[in-house]
Amino acid sequence: MRLVLKKRATKALFSVANWVEDQNTEGAGDRWLEKVFQEINRRAKAEVKHSVCQNQFLANRKYLCFPYDSWIVAYKIDGEEFIVCRFIWAGKLT
């Protein structure tokens, strides 16, 4: 399955990576980003569908979701593409 990141998800991921870099030692943001991409790739290759997001806004868009630490990854599957649409701090969804 091919991984595709929407612009909004990419912007959020890099914003968080920059924050991690600012709060920690040099290179921490890059290491964090690498771990996130590894997890997303692992889930995309596993081809396991997760449940529809519980948040009404995301559910209306028929996004599937899985948690990553304190974050929610909202995605769609279109043929052979695993499309990450949103990367959201879980605290914002309550």
Side-chain angles (χ1 to χ4, degrees):
M1 193 150 300
R2 188 171 77 93
L3 178 63
V4 176
L5 293 169
K6 293 279 193 168
K7 184 177 180 180
R8 187 175 210 156
T10 303
K11 185 177 177 182
L13 282 163
F14 281 96
S15 177
V16 175
N18 287 333
W19 181 85
V20 169
E21 183 79 22
D22 290 344
Q23 300 299 313
N24 298 287
T25 59
E26 186 176 334
D30 291 335
R31 290 188 299 273
W32 179 85
L33 200 55
E34 181 64 31
K35 288 179 186 177
V36 173
F37 281 129
Q38 286 176 354
E39 180 63 15
I40 293 171
N41 273 318
R42 183 183 71 77
R43 296 204 184 221
K45 289 178 182 176
E47 296 185 17
V48 174
K49 275 192 169 182
H50 298 88
S51 61
V52 173
C53 299
Q54 293 179 0
N55 176 272
Q56 193 63 40
F57 177 80
L58 299 174
N60 288 343
R61 284 154 181 75
K62 296 186 175 45
Y63 290 155
L64 306 173
C65 290
F66 67 87
Y68 178 80
D69 289 338
S70 297
W71 301 90
I72 301 296
V73 178
Y75 69 96
K76 287 185 175 183
I77 295 179
D78 185 18
E80 288 298 312
E81 293 184 333
F82 187 95
I83 305 167
V84 178
C85 301
R86 303 280 176 99
F87 187 77
I88 307 164
W89 179 52
K92 280 190 151 185
L93 295 179
T94 57

